[in-house]
Amino acid sequence: DAGVTQSPTHLIKTRGQQVTLRCSPKSGHDTVSWYQQALGQGPQFIFQYYEEEERQRGNFPDRFSGHQFPNYSSELNVNALLLGDSALYLCASSWGTAETEAFFGQGTRLTVV
Amino acid sequence: AQSVTQLDSHVSVSEGTPVLLRCNYSSSYSPSLFWYVQHPNKGLQLLLKYTSAATLVKGINGFEAEFKKSETSFHLTKPSAHMSDAAEYFCVVSVGYGGATNKLIFGTGTLLAVQP
């Protein structure tokens, strides 16, 4: 069983550009959350998708948007990239509405130059 | 609001000696608490979780943590460190929302170094 998979693993973009990151959840999971981890810091919650809807959102600007597809996979889009958006972006998947473990992917390292 | 504070940014121990990584939490109700580990260039792995059952929680790789409500603490311990334990450790609290799967609030992390 493949765990949470993210693509691409690394990405370099220029300021002002747009980027799309992708996540496939662990088999059987229906909830996907995205986190941003800046260098030397703990991950910060961006948003969570459940049943193709954004369920919760952290303190991130509207430049950060997402989508969840019927197969539960998800995309994170960031528009008008800033240097400060350089970070490791982590996807986590989980199942259902109870207190369950979140499984993390290895992340996408985004560098904005 | 829920939050966690990791009291040490760096901890260094010798192989074979005990490990103590400290975490205090803030929560207006009984929290769900976790410890995650992150090895270099790898994803986050759950070590253990507390969800209001037994206050002493055993996890993988010999780690355990004790939930102490009176001290609002959830410290991570291991009796004997191994070289492979060198990694970054995160104390995490989950925040519920309308019954949906919770979002995680991470501490700033503790980098554990293990000396031979």
Side-chain angles (χ1 to χ4, degrees), chain B residues 2-3 6 23 28 43 52 55 58 60 65 72 75 78 81 90-91 105 108 110:
Chain B
Q2 283 77 16
S3 67
Q6 293 185 244
C23 173
S28 53
S52 72
T55 56
K58 294 189 182 299
I60 62 172
T72 62
H75 300 335
K78 182 174 181 178
F90 293 97
C91 182
I105 307 295
T108 51
T110 298

Side-chain angles (χ1 to χ4, degrees), chain A residues 31 33 35 37 40-43 45 48 55-58 88 90 94-106, chain B residues 32 34 36 38 41-44 46 49 51 88 90 94-109:
Chain A
T31 302
S33 302
Y35 293 81
Q37 185 177 19
Q41 298 185 21
F45 177 79
Q48 181 182 84
R55 189 84 182 227
Q56 303 186 66
R57 189 177 182 91
L88 180 68
L90 294 163
S94 53
W95 177 85
T97 58
E99 188 65 64
T100 57
E101 176 184 349
F103 287 79
F104 283 82
Q106 293 196 321
Chain B
S32 293
F34 309 77
Y36 277 83
Q38 187 175 36
N41 301 316
K42 293 195 174 181
L44 289 154
L46 179 68
K49 63 181 179 181
T51 55
E88 182 123 38
F90 293 97
S94 78
V95 179
Y97 173 74
T101 309
N102 305 308
K103 76 176 188 182
L104 303 178
I105 307 295
F106 285 75
T108 51

Side-chain angles (χ1 to χ4, degrees), chain A residues 6-7 14 16 27 33 42 58 63 65 71 80 84 98 113:
Chain A
Q6 293 185 241
S7 64
T14 303
S27 178
S33 302
R63 297 187 298 108
S65 64
N71 67 353
V113 297

Side-chain angles (χ1 to χ4, degrees), chain B residues 35-81:
Chain B
W35 276 98
Y36 277 83
V37 61
Q38 187 175 36
H39 288 91
N41 301 316
K42 293 195 174 181
L44 289 154
Q45 181 183 22
L46 179 68
L47 281 178
L48 50 81
K49 63 181 179 181
Y50 166 77
T51 55
S52 72
T55 56
L56 182 62
V57 182
K58 294 189 182 299
I60 62 172
N61 300 333
F63 285 95
E64 62 181 37
E66 186 171 7
F67 174 75
K68 291 187 176 180
K69 186 176 181 179
S70 60
E71 299 176 11
T72 62
S73 69
F74 189 58
H75 300 335
L76 181 70
T77 60
K78 182 174 181 178
S80 176

